[in-house]
Amino acid sequence: MTYKLLAVTAVAIMTFGTAQAQENRNNVGCGLGSVAFEGQSGTAQQSLAVTTNGTSSNQTFAITSGTSGCTKDGVVDPPAQTAAFTDANLTTLARDAARGEGESLASLAELMGIEEQHKLVFFQTTQQNFSTIFASENVTANDVLVAWYRVMAEDKVLSQYVGV
């Protein structure tokens, strides 16, 4: 089991290392917000850019037309997307994880690639291990995902999703 824990930790470090290495990349998507806040950095600017992208309702057009910082051949990077989602929804995820259900928890399961027939196990395991996954009030998204993957690695059903 020690080898499995080491493998999970290595995967988590690689996942978040990749996300950190791509820090200079536009991680808020494309659209009007990305154009308006281009070149700016910081949590507030990223939050404003992603909010503008989401509320301006032009992102789909930008993707299909290749405008506003979008490309038609863009690729979604699941580990980075999972890390970004967890970071942006940490409070909501904590609430849903404590209940073992909820929209943000279901969304995270999708991002992690959890198949439909295993989602109930994911929800129950998450609820049962809430205090391990959200170990403190000041936990970071990185800490949460590393703990989540460790918990999943210990489960015979969910271990298949670790490192996907």
Side-chain angles (χ1 to χ4, degrees):
M1 194 52 85
T2 305
Y3 293 113
K4 196 175 225 180
L5 184 59
L6 287 173
V8 168
T9 303
V11 167
I13 289 170
M14 288 186 305
T15 298
F16 300 110
T18 300
Q20 292 296 323
Q22 296 174 352
E23 186 175 320
N24 292 329
R25 186 176 84 158
N26 177 356
N27 63 352
V28 298
C30 58
L32 186 59
S34 297
V35 173
F37 294 92
E38 185 176 5
Q40 298 183 29
S41 61
T43 304
Q45 290 81 356
Q46 289 181 54
S47 296
L48 289 169
V50 77
T51 301
T52 304
N53 284 344
T55 59
S56 65
S57 301
N58 75 332
Q59 199 167 36
T60 303
F61 173 77
I63 291 169
T64 57
S65 65
T67 60
S68 300
C70 297
T71 62
K72 294 180 183 182
D73 62 348
V75 176
V76 176
D77 183 1
Q81 188 176 17
T82 302
F85 177 82
T86 303
D87 188 45
N89 297 284
L90 196 57
T91 303
T92 307
L93 278 168
R95 184 191 68 230
D96 287 357
R99 295 182 311 144
E101 63 181 27
E103 189 176 319
S104 67
L105 191 58
S107 296
L108 182 64
E110 286 289 324
L111 289 170
M112 289 180 161
I114 308 293
E115 294 177 20
E116 194 64 39
Q117 69 268 23
H118 299 140
K119 286 183 182 176
L120 183 59
V121 173
F122 176 74
F123 298 149
Q124 291 171 341
T125 302
T126 295
Q127 185 178 28
Q128 293 165 356
N129 292 280
F130 175 81
S131 62
T132 300
I133 296 168
F134 291 89
S136 75
E137 191 175 300
N138 300 321
V139 72
T140 66
N142 185 35
D143 296 335
V144 166
L145 278 175
V146 168
W148 224 314
Y149 282 119
R150 284 184 182 152
V151 164
M152 290 170 61
E154 298 294 324
D155 184 272
K156 66 180 182 177
V157 172
L158 299 176
S159 61
Q160 66 184 307
Y161 299 104
V162 176
V164 173

